[in-house]
Amino acid sequence: MYLFLVNLYNGYIIYLLPFFLLSFGISALLIALSYLIALQNMDLEKTSGYECGFDPFNDARDPFYIQFYIIALLFIIFDIEVIFFVPFIAALKYLTFLGYYTMACFVVLLIISLYHEWNKKCIDF
Amino acid sequence: MISFFFFKYEVIVASFLILLVFMLVGIAYLTLLERKFMASIQRRRGPNVVGVFGLLQPLADGMKLLLKETVLPSYSNLVIYLLAPIFTFFCSIVLWFVLPFSEGYVLYDFPLGLLYILAISSLGIYGIVFSGWSSNSKYAFLGGLRSAAQMISYELSLGLIILSIILITGSFHLGEIIENQSLSFNAVTLFPLWILFVVCMLAETNRAPFDLPEAEAELVAGYNVEYSSIAFALFFLGEYTNILFMSALASILFLGGYLPIVSFLPLSGLVWFSIKCLLHIFIFVWVRATFPRFRYDQLMKLGWKFLLPISLVFLLLESSIVISLGLF
């Protein structure tokens, strides 16, 4: 069964595209189905935003805390590091001690940056 | 090309439909399992009115949510508002394509399965951000931001732990990771990593005790406060699909997927895989019923100041051991 399924695909992931579209379609179909089946009575109170019973003061397009932006920036930096780890692990057999040492230098630089952010209280909320 | 599609493609489509149907039924009954199990821990009974032992409860819930009115808020950006639950559920379903349930029972045998899984889990965060932004309410926006920040913080540690597993296996292929555990499970050789992975799983799926973004007392239902009926149901289903998927992934990475635990019990690979999945699901529900919620700054502190340095250093340590002892 295993080899049979692998041979069916010939290694092309594009053959999964109909399944991606089908999964997307099922979710869209559920929403469309609910919209068609249920009774819709549009009311001013129902379609306004939630504000614990009051009328909404203003919308959510105001500036937000900069901490979230800083967390996203840090995530990008460390995610790039994780991405760099992937070929390191895949080719570990051929990178002898010198390769490991190079990667360790890279990681130590990033750990120093994490320490600096810790000190500057960037990751406190 | 035509002869390729003549008979063989039907087999793939049939296996996809079987996977989809069993997965949806499994998720529906996972909601019931969670309620019954949490009720048992709290010394009461869960739903037992609808069917025998409450077994028709998921059907009743689904019907109710389908027949409720879809409220489209007037201030929201409609396209993104409707795209968000669809995208979340789509990302959760698509992850299941590369999981092996038994020897050879995998929909798409991807040699880079774990990379695919990491990529699609990162995509799942978009759904939360879409829903938080497009429902034009301060509660939803703040809940979406907090939830997204939490998920990206724990995703780093998740990726690093998965990389540690890949290191000792030497391949990204999920089937090969399972076969590599035929002598001893990864939970035995890398026990602390298993614990860390369970903690990261809880945080990644916005699940108690890390469920502050959707707690009722803080932000009323968080990023899905403006959603009703089937859109809310899709978020809910997406969350439970993620729980089920993460349990399956943890069973594959750490407990050896379809491999038997004890060799004298002649059960099939599918049964062993289900047992291990159920163990992780019980851990999820048990932890929800037992521990109080983390405060948000405690949560971010755990993610950035504890889990990230530990997983990073563990990965370096492991690669140094592998290189110095020549264990490829």
Side-chain angles (χ1 to χ4, degrees), chain A residues 7-47:
Chain A
N7 284 337
L8 285 181
Y9 277 108
N10 288 336
Y12 292 131
I13 200 171
I14 195 70
Y15 291 147
L16 274 186
L17 185 64
F19 301 144
F20 278 45
L21 293 176
L22 204 68
S23 338
F24 204 86
I26 283 183
S27 329
L29 183 76
L30 278 175
I31 290 191
L33 196 67
S34 164
Y35 194 77
L36 290 172
I37 290 183
L39 299 167
Q40 311 282 347
N41 296 320
M42 282 305 161
D43 188 58
L44 181 61
E45 289 297 324
K46 273 194 276 196
T47 59

Side-chain angles (χ1 to χ4, degrees), chain B residues 39-66:
Chain B
S40 298
I41 293 178
Q42 294 165 354
R43 297 178 63 120
R44 57 181 172 91
R45 296 186 191 225
N48 59 354
V49 170
V50 187
V52 179
F53 295 122
L55 284 175
L56 290 180
Q57 182 73 36
L59 192 66
D61 282 339
M63 281 278 104
K64 177 203 79 166
L65 285 170
L66 196 67

Side-chain angles (χ1 to χ4, degrees), chain B:
Chain B
M1 196 68 159
I2 293 178
S3 64
F4 178 90
F5 282 110
F6 178 62
F7 169 66
K8 299 170 190 172
Y9 204 66
E10 273 84 356
V11 173
I12 304 176
V13 172
S15 46
F16 167 70
L17 286 175
I18 291 175
L19 175 70
L20 198 67
V21 165
F22 275 94
M23 186 187 74
L24 290 174
V25 170
I27 296 160
Y29 280 91
L30 177 63
T31 60
L32 180 66
L33 172 75
E34 186 205 10
R35 289 168 76 175
K36 294 286 264 186
F37 190 51
M38 234 172 31
S40 298
I41 293 178
Q42 294 165 354
R43 297 178 63 120
R44 57 181 172 91
R45 296 186 191 225
N48 59 354
V49 170
V50 187
V52 179
F53 295 122
L55 284 175
L56 290 180
Q57 182 73 36
L59 192 66
D61 282 339
M63 281 278 104
K64 177 203 79 166
L65 285 170
L66 196 67
L67 297 172
K68 264 187 189 249
E69 177 186 345
T70 314
V71 173
L72 301 171
S74 51
Y75 282 64
S76 60
N77 310 343
L78 262 187
V79 175
I80 310 181
Y81 180 84
L82 287 174
L83 187 68
I86 299 177
F87 189 69
T88 310
F89 195 46
F90 165 74
C91 284
S92 313
I93 293 183
V94 149
L95 281 171
W96 284 83
F97 292 166
V98 298
L99 278 188
F101 296 97
S102 182
E103 288 95 340
Y105 281 58
V106 50
L107 185 65
Y108 181 65
D109 191 30
F110 198 20
L112 292 173
L114 269 180
L115 209 56
Y116 171 87
I117 286 174
L118 280 177
I120 306 268
S121 328
S122 303
L123 272 188
I125 298 172
Y126 269 121
I128 311 244
V129 172
F130 286 161
S131 72
W133 173 256
S134 63
S135 7
N136 212 339
S137 150
K138 282 194 277 296
Y139 290 104
F141 183 51
L142 207 56
L145 272 182
R146 284 165 84 156
S147 179
Q150 171 191 326
M151 284 174 85
I152 62 180
S153 310
Y154 285 86
E155 195 154 308
L156 294 166
S157 315
L158 202 77
L160 289 169
I161 292 172
I162 288 181
L163 284 176
S164 307
I165 300 289
I166 296 170
L167 187 68
I168 60 176
T169 309
S171 159
F172 286 84
H173 190 180
L174 282 162
E176 199 165 316
I177 290 180
I178 296 178
E179 291 301 325
N180 199 39
Q181 298 177 58
S182 49
L183 294 176
S184 73
F185 293 154
N186 280 338
V188 171
T189 59
L190 295 169
F191 183 70
L193 272 192
W194 184 37
I195 307 291
L196 287 180
F197 190 78
V198 169
V199 170
C200 281
M201 257 194 330
L202 287 172
E204 184 72 15
T205 53
N206 274 343
R207 185 81 180 157
F210 301 105
D211 66 346
L212 196 66
E214 43 185 60
E216 261 113 56
E218 285 270 332
L219 306 158
V220 192
Y223 55 87
N224 49 16
V225 67
E226 296 290 344
Y227 284 89
S228 62
S229 90
I230 204 69
F232 170 74
L234 280 178
F235 273 118
F236 198 63
L237 282 179
E239 178 179 331
Y240 279 87
T241 316
N242 263 332
I243 291 175
L244 201 56
F245 171 75
M246 285 288 182
S247 311
L249 188 66
S251 317
I252 287 176
L253 289 180
F254 287 97
L255 287 182
Y258 50 78
L259 295 172
I261 299 180
V262 284
S263 53
F264 53 82
L265 276 178
L267 301 168
S268 89
L270 287 172
V271 175
W272 281 118
F273 184 65
S274 334
I275 290 176
K276 292 165 193 179
C277 255
L278 271 177
L279 172 71
H280 280 103
I281 291 173
F282 277 134
I283 292 178
F284 264 100
V285 182
W286 204 335
V287 165
R288 179 180 180 178
T290 312
F291 294 114
R293 216 167 263 140
F294 271 82
R295 215 173 55 218
Y296 194 65
D297 58 319
Q298 290 172 337
L299 206 153
M300 297 304 260
K301 185 169 154 183
L302 184 72
W304 285 97
K305 298 187 183 178
F306 180 69
L307 283 177
L308 178 63
I310 279 194
S311 30
L312 204 50
V313 165
F314 197 96
L315 185 55
L316 271 183
L317 174 73
E318 204 182 317
S319 52
S320 71
I321 291 177
V322 164
I323 281 202
S324 59
L325 296 180
L327 311 163
F328 303 113

